[in-house]
Amino acid sequence: MERRLSELARVLSRPSGVVSSDFPLIEKAASRMGISYDLWQQGLLYLMFGKRADGLYACGEGGAVISICRQVGKTFTVGSAIFILCAGRSGLKVLWTAHRTRTSDETFQTMCGFARNRLMARYVDHIRRANGQQEIAFRNGSRIMFGAREQGFGRGFDAVDVEVFDEAQILTVKALNDMVPAMNVSPNPLLVMMGTPPQPGDPSEQFAAKRADGLKGVDGMLYVEFSADRDADPDDHEQWAKANPSYPKRTSGKAIERMRQSLGGVDNFRREALGIWDEDTGVSAIDPDAWAKCEVAEPDSAGRLSFGLDMPPDRSALAVGVAVRHGDDTAYVGLQEYRDVRSKGVAWAVDWLAERWPKTCAVVIDAQSPAMSVVPDLMKRHVRVTITQTRDLGAATGRMLDMIHAGTLQHLDARQQPQLNAAVDGAILRPLGPNGASAWNKKGSDVDISPLQACTLALHGAFTSKRHPGRRSKAVAL
């Protein structure tokens, strides 16, 4: 006997006040297209598009958030509903984003299949297939645009009505902040987040925070989580049915067996095929409360002055961090400069550091950083650059974390240093080897952590440099 959403979902937190929904109209059109939704899909879509008495989406405040395993058909379920909604309602603007280009391309192809349906084809005006500009445009003025967050898609749009974040387990504060304001002027916005439980190292702070709200039953959002039991035997077919509402009707046992073989490890299978969250997803490497306690209104600028440089992998910006080591071995760190390389270049940094070198004990750059490109020009200006290797980087990151937790590191508040604060919020750790050393993770993340890395390197220089400028231990102008 087919089961309802409430019988299948491990967690179902519904928004209050739902008196109507767009779903009955969507289901009617879907039926004419030859699409039939299972009971759990019907319940999910009814709540996702559920409205209160004022006509606004009941989950318009916190969004519709779905934690679900792979091979369930979530893209087909949500994608078909949104396609039908756009065909029937004029002027809707939808952004559909995934983290990876491949996922975004696959979703676009699925949606193009809907456009080829005999019933729906007459509603479609044109399909644009150019990379980075993939779009399905409808005759009534509605549009669905597709793109990958790893390629920067989503910035600069406005008047967006619906935003769908696929692969939400790889979604950072910066990506969300880039895109959510685009819905500010929509009269009835809807945000949808879909993903599997994150792997260690995934920049999953937003998805984890939404899950936490869902587990607490925060109103104004829809949260649905499908998963097997935490202690599930990965080969237990009954647990497969708990995690995957499409098994065995639409997803075969052979398909799950193939996934079991291809995912490479039981932990990945537990997350991606059984929907089981790790006990601690580690939304940030730096405890926000400990960081907040280090905040000062006016930093102590007397001490040993050091600078660190870093750039994100795409070389879009250059960050200059500053550190001042005080006589009692406390310190201040801050983001001294952060400039767009595409418009400002990097020559300014060479002049800027050369001017301050006589009062500086160290200028530090990591050997693997794109900022290494400025080293030859700094050397020509007689600035001695300290270049960190893997061992140094592990020690520098460890010192930064230790001082934050000990409360011996000062920094300015978030309003004065927004880029540094965003980097701290989004920082995760990556192992450097078998001995337990770690460094800030930047790969696979769309958060720019170069401000944090620059400050970490500056702090390392302030504590390890043997250079003693002539005017040490005096206040310096930062």
Side-chain angles (χ1 to χ4, degrees):
M1 182 176 177
E2 194 173 358
R3 292 183 292 169
R4 299 175 181 275
L5 176 67
S6 58
E7 298 172 314
L8 286 167
R10 180 167 296 277
V11 182
L12 175 57
S13 178
R14 320 173 195 217
S16 65
V18 175
V19 298
S20 65
S21 176
D22 289 330
F23 178 67
L25 294 176
I26 292 171
E27 185 180 31
K28 185 176 180 179
S31 178
R32 294 200 300 268
M33 290 174 64
I35 296 173
S36 62
Y37 295 115
D38 294 342
L39 274 180
W40 73 270
Q41 294 171 314
Q42 295 174 29
L44 175 66
L45 293 175
Y46 185 90
L47 291 173
M48 181 180 296
F49 295 104
K51 294 180 176 179
R52 293 184 168 139
D54 58 7
L56 299 180
Y57 289 119
C59 59
E61 298 171 16
V65 183
I66 309 164
S67 174
I68 194 167
C69 63
R70 287 168 55 177
Q71 294 195 348
V72 176
K74 66 180 184 298
T75 301
F76 180 89
T77 302
V78 178
S80 60
I82 286 179
F83 185 96
I84 292 169
L85 192 66
C86 285
R89 184 166 297 165
S90 62
L92 277 184
K93 185 185 291 186
V94 178
L95 296 186
W96 189 298
T97 80
H99 173 67
R100 299 175 181 88
T101 301
R102 178 179 176 181
T103 306
S104 176
D105 288 346
E106 289 175 352
T107 301
F108 175 65
Q109 293 303 324
T110 297
M111 296 284 220
C112 287
F114 300 144
R116 290 191 294 270
N117 182 278
R118 180 179 56 82
L119 177 68
M120 286 291 122
R122 58 181 173 172
Y123 294 99
V124 177
D125 183 70
H126 67 269
I127 297 175
R128 181 179 297 169
R129 300 179 182 275
N131 288 338
Q133 298 180 14
Q134 294 170 325
E135 173 184 300
I136 298 175
F138 296 80
R139 295 185 185 275
N140 61 6
S142 293
R143 290 189 293 162
I144 309 174
M145 292 163 283
F146 304 84
R149 295 188 294 275
E150 68 177 355
Q151 301 296 329
F153 176 82
R155 299 170 191 146
F157 288 98
D158 58 10
V160 175
D161 300 292
V162 180
E163 291 187 356
V164 180
F165 292 88
D166 199 357
E167 297 180 315
Q169 72 275 14
I170 311 177
L171 174 63
T172 62
V173 175
K174 183 177 184 296
L176 205 62
N177 288 347
D178 280 342
M179 296 184 65
V180 169
M183 296 194 296
N184 285 346
V185 299
S186 172
N188 195 9
L190 179 63
L191 182 148
V192 180
M193 296 171 63
M194 310 184 297
T196 58
Q199 300 181 28
D202 280 344
S204 58
E205 57 268 32
Q206 284 301 295
F207 198 40
K210 287 290 187 182
R211 179 180 187 251
D213 287 343
L215 294 179
K216 289 186 292 187
V218 173
D219 197 12
M221 69 176 291
L222 168 66
Y223 180 72
V224 184
E225 180 175 319
F226 296 93
S227 72
D229 297 337
R230 182 162 293 283
D231 58 352
D233 177 351
D235 295 314
D236 185 343
H237 290 205
E238 290 185 6
Q239 294 292 336
W240 293 2
K242 283 187 176 183
N244 190 327
S246 293
Y247 169 81
K249 180 180 178 180
R250 298 184 187 274
T251 303
S252 69
K254 288 185 178 180
I256 296 179
E257 287 284 3
R258 284 195 297 270
M259 190 160 41
R260 177 86 162 91
Q261 299 300 318
S262 65
L263 282 176
V266 68
D267 288 341
N268 281 340
F269 184 78
R270 282 169 56 84
R271 296 182 196 102
E272 299 196 33
L274 299 183
I276 300 172
W277 282 67
D278 293 351
E279 291 285 357
D280 180 12
T281 58
V283 296
S284 177
I286 298 175
D287 178 52
D289 292 334
W291 178 252
K293 288 178 182 177
C294 296
E295 185 179 298
V296 294
E298 294 290 338
D300 180 358
S301 59
R304 288 172 55 77
L305 178 67
S306 176
F307 296 105
L309 278 71
D310 194 41
M311 302 172 78
D314 63 2
R315 297 182 57 84
S316 58
L318 177 60
V320 179
V322 62
V324 178
R325 178 183 177 183
H326 307 137
D328 59 358
D329 282 343
T330 62
Y332 160 77
V333 295
L335 182 61
Q336 190 63 38
E337 294 287 335
Y338 184 79
R339 301 189 191 180
D340 188 325
V341 169
R342 289 164 292 196
S343 61
K344 304 294 184 182
V346 297
W348 64 266
V350 176
D351 295 335
W352 193 93
L353 289 165
E355 180 183 347
R356 287 157 178 78
W357 177 243
K359 301 177 183 179
T360 302
C361 70
V363 172
V364 188
I365 303 175
D366 186 67
Q368 302 301 315
S369 172
M372 281 291 293
S373 62
V374 303
V375 171
D377 289 332
L378 285 171
M379 293 176 63
K380 290 177 183 177
R381 300 291 297 274
H382 307 291
V383 175
R384 188 188 312 159
V385 181
T386 301
I387 299 174
T388 56
Q389 304 297 331
T390 300
R391 181 176 177 180
D392 308 311
L393 192 59
T397 306
R399 175 182 285 108
M400 186 84 162
L401 281 169
D402 289 346
M403 293 185 70
I404 292 170
H405 294 151
T408 56
L409 192 71
Q410 301 176 350
H411 66 84
L412 296 173
D413 64 52
R415 290 170 299 176
Q416 298 181 72
Q417 304 255 276
Q419 297 96 341
L420 176 58
N421 197 67
V424 168
D425 285 344
I428 52 179
L429 291 172
R430 59 182 173 89
L432 290 178
N435 298 322
S438 299
W440 310 125
N441 188 23
K442 63 173 66 175
K443 292 184 178 178
S445 169
D446 47 8
V447 165
D448 179 9
I449 60 167
S450 64
L452 176 61
Q453 181 81 312
C455 290
T456 302
L457 295 172
L459 186 67
H460 176 75
F463 275 82
T464 61
S465 174
K466 293 181 171 54
R467 172 179 162 83
H468 296 284
R471 296 181 63 185
R472 58 180 177 147
S473 299
K474 294 184 179 180
V476 294
L478 299 179

